[in-house]
Amino acid sequence: MTGRMTDTSAPADGPAPAPRTSVDFWFDPSCPWAWMTSRWVDEVAKHRDLDVTFRIMSLAVLNEDNDVSDEYKANFARMLRYTRLVTAAGELHGQAVVKPLYDALGTRIHPGGETDADVVIPAALAEVGLPADFIRYADGDEYDEQMRASHFDGIGRVGQDVGTPVIAVNGTAFFGPVISPAPKGEEAVRLWDGVVAVASYPGFFEIKRTRTTGPVFD
């Protein structure tokens, strides 16, 4: 009686796993709307296999040559401190620190309501395990070239007449969505599928309605 040998190198029966969805997310830490959208993406990532890379962009750079109010311009220095800090962290410590630092900054800025960067930054650095003197990168231009390159990489995919966030899903980029509050569970996934479907059509450019509420933080 002879036995039959099994080829253990043969692939298992059944469909191959679906490839991960590549997502690039450009954000300015100061923007409450980008924060809301990032919480939505976090929620979707619990239900879909997303490979999300968080990248910096800057509303100060976006608007540096635009006719904006003096009140808005007065915020540029503070906004730049946050974008410079995140850029330096990414350059010196890698992509793995970018999202945790964004979370630590954004939690204090947005739901926390803290407006003093000299309070926000030290607490955020401590939370992610970066030394206190890392704050020097928020006040210097050492990594401005990299910060601007990341900004223009994102904005170049969607055009100048938008803001933050910019999202690219498997290379297809769009601004927004601007949402409040960030949906949860099936509602979050349903919105994701709809937004990605709309953005994937090459001839689609805009869908919009007047905001009736500000950012609603959890």
Side-chain angles (χ1 to χ4, degrees):
M1 181 175 180
T2 60
R4 185 175 62 184
M5 296 185 64
T6 301
D7 182 2
T8 58
S9 66
D13 292 337
R20 302 188 74 191
T21 300
S22 174
V23 180
D24 294 282
F25 188 103
W26 282 266
F27 67 96
D28 183 315
S30 299
C31 179
W33 298 106
W35 177 256
M36 298 296 296
T37 308
S38 72
R39 302 309 94 180
W40 167 61
V41 172
D42 282 351
E43 180 69 14
V44 174
K46 298 175 184 178
H47 306 278
R48 292 291 172 81
D49 192 10
L50 306 184
D51 181 14
V52 186
T53 301
F54 282 82
R55 305 182 184 278
I56 203 72
M57 65 181 293
S58 169
L59 288 172
V61 171
L62 181 68
N63 291 291
E64 61 188 354
D65 297 322
N66 293 342
D67 184 16
V68 297
S69 69
D70 291 340
E71 180 182 3
Y72 191 71
K73 285 182 179 179
N75 293 318
F76 280 7
R78 175 173 52 84
M79 295 158 71
L80 280 171
R81 293 186 76 191
Y82 294 137
T83 56
R84 284 169 167 166
L85 185 78
V86 174
T87 302
E91 291 294 319
L92 295 173
H93 295 281
Q95 174 62 218
V97 78
V98 172
K99 178 58 161 53
L101 183 56
Y102 178 32
D103 290 346
L105 291 168
T107 298
R108 291 165 173 82
I109 296 167
H110 303 301
E114 180 58 65
T115 59
D116 187 346
D118 287 326
V119 174
V120 170
I121 292 174
L125 291 176
E127 181 177 322
V128 300
L130 290 173
D133 66 356
F134 203 85
I135 195 173
R136 69 187 184 276
Y137 292 110
D139 299 307
D141 61 2
E142 184 174 351
Y143 293 102
D144 274 17
E145 181 178 352
Q146 292 89 334
M147 182 263 288
R148 286 175 173 269
S150 178
H151 169 84
F152 287 114
D153 179 25
I155 209 70
R157 302 182 188 217
V158 291
Q160 291 287 331
D161 56 340
V162 299
T164 175
V166 170
I167 301 177
V169 180
N170 289 334
T172 298
F174 51 90
F175 159 66
V178 176
I179 52 176
S180 181
K184 305 290 187 182
E186 291 184 6
E187 190 175 29
V189 174
R190 188 164 58 248
L191 178 62
W192 175 264
D193 289 342
V195 168
V196 171
V198 166
S200 67
Y201 176 62
F204 173 78
F205 300 107
E206 186 172 356
I207 185 170
K208 189 173 183 178
R209 59 186 172 193
T210 301
R211 299 177 198 168
T212 58
T213 185
V216 178
F217 305 119
D218 290 340

